[in-house]
Amino acid sequence: MDFLIACTGINYVILLLWFLCFRFVHDGLYRLHSRWFRVSVETFDALHYGGMAFYKILILFFNLTPLLVLLATR
């Protein structure tokens, strides 16, 4: 159970860092990625937003749900 708590915390820290980088270093990230891929700003934003949402769903499914089940069956 401690493992799931640690995994959940680590994954939410990663998600928070991703969001903060996206929020405060947006233009630099876009310039870096637009060198490799031809992508508009709107598409870049949508991909990151979708990626963050998908990552959050994975955290809920693989970390938080098993943790809650273990806590409920205690």
Side-chain angles (χ1 to χ4, degrees), residues 1-2 9-10 12 17 23-24 27-28 31 34 36 39 41 43 47-50 54 67 70:
M1 191 161 50
D2 293 336
I10 290 168
Y12 270 114
L17 288 174
R23 172 68 176 95
F24 294 110
D27 294 336
R31 279 194 308 271
S34 64
W36 301 325
V39 62
V41 175
T43 304
L47 286 169
H48 275 277
Y49 184 73
F54 182 66
L67 178 63
L70 286 174

Side-chain angles (χ1 to χ4, degrees), residues 1-17 55 59 63-64 67:
M1 191 161 50
D2 293 336
F3 177 73
L4 287 173
I5 293 171
C7 286
T8 303
I10 290 168
N11 280 302
Y12 270 114
V13 166
I14 291 170
L15 185 62
L16 180 64
L17 288 174
Y55 191 69
I59 294 170
N63 292 322
L64 203 55
L67 178 63

Side-chain angles (χ1 to χ4, degrees), residues 30-53:
Y30 176 72
R31 279 194 308 271
L32 176 69
H33 286 93
S34 64
R35 289 183 196 167
W36 301 325
F37 309 105
R38 295 188 345 151
V39 62
S40 68
V41 175
E42 293 81 15
T43 304
F44 179 76
D45 291 347
L47 286 169
H48 275 277
Y49 184 73
M52 284 186 260

